[in-house]
């Protein structure tokens, strides 16, 4: 456990450095300034950046237990799976808030999602396939390889498939979360047609859990129901937002108490308790893990909807974190293949320290150094231009 805590502390320490580097690199590459756009939820955008950073650290530190060190197994699971949980909660909150505020236009909704998610993922998968093809010696693709390549463009619905090189799962397996994002988008209109109340939402979830899953087994193992619970908890925060707006004075004391530094330490401690779970339960598909990490999202949510007299934490509004949040999707897409590439350099002894503490200390720096500029370029030349189209 000592190694796990050291690695967790190191991962957290690198987060502000990653954010500062993102800001400086964004300025260097002339990233469009969209920080002050209207309706911009700064604390939640900062959480998006933190979640992407934690997933990056997870896919970096996971290589350390592959080498038999024993360190990193639970830390990489906690940071990566925690980041995924927060991403799903963010999706649930943002889009259910659109439903409750009658701003859900299905035509624009799906158009925006396609422009935001599809081009950047297509470019990433295409670049990875091109790299694999070149590395394999430019062979003439067989029919099975063409089919496997096409499957990799299916947002995880067709799995992750080796095409020209083995171990594609270590380069692009992060697209599995996109399948769940799309499933949620497709189910949202139906759910909104059935109910908009918190009671109806809760009843729908309970009916699903009781009829489609074994709740006892689900609590002790992995289950897709836990992913739905993540979306549900984020959607519940949309209902909380309405309560805060309608009755600001009623909840002022609770919000002020929970959203301070003491509240942050409490929710952060709950998240860290996941390290004491069995390693196979530190997953976004485990209900207990989701429950331990959900309060941290609630803390950021309360910061995004301040009440009278509540102290706001200015670090949540820093340009560095907001920049990291803005490039979070591209960073999420690209960092895994970068981690694989950097680790390959260690394995070939091109970079010194393979299998030792020198690798543990330096590999995250190389991954961050390469991933952030790639993510910025992806955002600038792929994400941002396509997102701008749907507004015209």
């Amino acid at each position: 456990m000592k190694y796990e805590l050291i690695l967790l502390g190191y991962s957290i320490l690198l987060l502000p450095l990653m954010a500062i580097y993102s800001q400086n690199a964004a300025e260097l590459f002339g990233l469009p300034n969209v920080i002050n756009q209207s309706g911009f939820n700064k604390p939640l955008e900062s959480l998006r950046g933190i979640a992407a950073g934690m997933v990056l650290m997870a896919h970096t530190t996971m290589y350390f237990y592959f080498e038999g060190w024993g360190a990193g197994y639970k830390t990489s699971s906690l940071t990566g799976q925690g980041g995924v949980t927060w991403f799903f909660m963010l999706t649930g909150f943002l889009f259910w808030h659109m439903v409750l505020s009658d701003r859900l236009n299905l035509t624009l909704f799906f158009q925006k999602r396609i422009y935001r998610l599809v081009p950047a993922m297509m470019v990433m998968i295409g670049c990875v396939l091109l790299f694999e093809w070149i590395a394999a010696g430019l062979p003439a693709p067989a029919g099975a390889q063409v089919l496997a390549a096409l499957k990799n463009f299916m947002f995880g619905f067709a799995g992750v498939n080796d095409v020209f090189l083995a171990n594609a799962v270590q380069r692009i397996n992060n697209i599995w979360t996109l399948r769940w994002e799309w499933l949620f988008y497709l189910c949202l209109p139906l759910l909104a047609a059935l109910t908009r109340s918190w009671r109806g939402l809760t009843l729908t979830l309970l009916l699903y859990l009781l009829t489609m899953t074994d709740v006892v087994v689900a609590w002790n193992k992995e289950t897709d129901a836990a992913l739905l619970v993540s979306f549900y908890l984020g959607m519940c925060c949309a209902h909380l937002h309405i309560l805060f707006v309608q009755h600001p004075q009623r909840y002022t004391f609770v919000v002020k108490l929970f959203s301070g530094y003491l509240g942050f330490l409490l929710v952060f401690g709950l998240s860290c308790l996941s390290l004491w779970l069995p390693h196979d339960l530190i997953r976004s598909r485990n209900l207990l893990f989701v429950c331990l990490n959900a309060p941290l999202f609630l803390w950021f949510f309360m910061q995004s909807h301040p009440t009278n007299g509540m102290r706001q934490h200015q670090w949540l509004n820093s340009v560095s974190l907001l920049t990291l949040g803005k490039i979070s999707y591209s960073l999420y897409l690209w960092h895994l293949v970068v981690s694989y590439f950097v680790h390959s350099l260690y394995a070939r002894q091109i970079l010194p320290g393979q299998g030792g503490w020198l690798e543990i200390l330096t590999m995250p720096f190389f991954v961050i150094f390469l991933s952030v500029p790639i993510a910025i370029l992806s955002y600038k030349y792929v994400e941002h231009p396509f997102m701008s189209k749907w507004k015209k």
Side-chain angles (χ1 to χ4, degrees), residues 82-232:
V84 168
T85 298
W86 301 329
F87 274 131
F88 286 158
M89 294 185 70
L90 271 166
T91 298
F93 168 73
L94 293 173
F95 295 108
W96 198 247
H97 189 268
M98 292 174 60
V99 171
L100 296 180
S101 57
D102 294 320
R103 292 186 294 110
L104 181 61
N105 182 314
L106 290 180
T107 301
L108 294 178
F109 173 77
F110 285 109
Q111 183 182 17
K112 180 180 178 181
R113 291 298 89 201
I114 290 172
Y115 281 142
R116 172 70 190 275
L117 299 180
V118 174
M121 193 213 71
M122 293 293 184
V123 170
M124 187 274 289
I125 297 294
C127 288
V128 172
L129 285 174
L130 178 61
F131 167 79
E132 292 178 354
W133 186 47
I134 295 173
L138 303 177
Q145 289 176 312
V146 173
L147 180 60
L150 292 175
K151 287 181 177 180
N152 285 343
F153 286 95
M154 300 299 293
F155 286 92
F157 283 97
V160 173
N161 305 273
D162 293 339
V163 182
F164 300 106
L165 298 177
N167 300 319
V169 68
Q170 294 188 33
R171 294 184 290 275
I172 60 172
N173 192 49
N174 49 333
I175 64 173
W176 76 267
T177 61
L178 302 181
R179 175 170 66 93
W180 281 97
E181 291 278 340
W182 277 112
L183 287 174
F184 178 76
Y185 300 151
L186 294 173
C187 293
L188 177 64
L190 175 61
L191 184 60
L194 293 175
T195 181
R196 294 191 179 191
S197 70
W198 178 81
R199 291 183 180 88
L201 184 65
T202 304
L203 180 61
T204 301
L205 177 72
L206 289 176
L207 287 174
Y208 172 83
L209 292 177
L210 293 174
T211 58
M212 304 297 290
T213 68
D214 186 327
V215 178
V216 176
V217 172
W219 188 263
N220 294 285
K221 294 183 179 181
E222 289 190 73
T223 171
D224 289 343
L227 303 179
L228 297 179
V229 170
S230 297
F231 287 121
Y232 163 78

Side-chain angles (χ1 to χ4, degrees), residues 68 70 95 106 110 130 147 174-175 261 269 271 275 281 307 315 321 332 341 375 381:
F95 295 108
L106 290 180
F110 285 109
L130 178 61
L147 180 60
N174 49 333
I175 64 173
Y261 284 114
S271 181
L275 287 176
L281 295 187
T307 59
W315 58 272
L321 266 183
Y332 180 80
F341 172 74
Y381 293 110

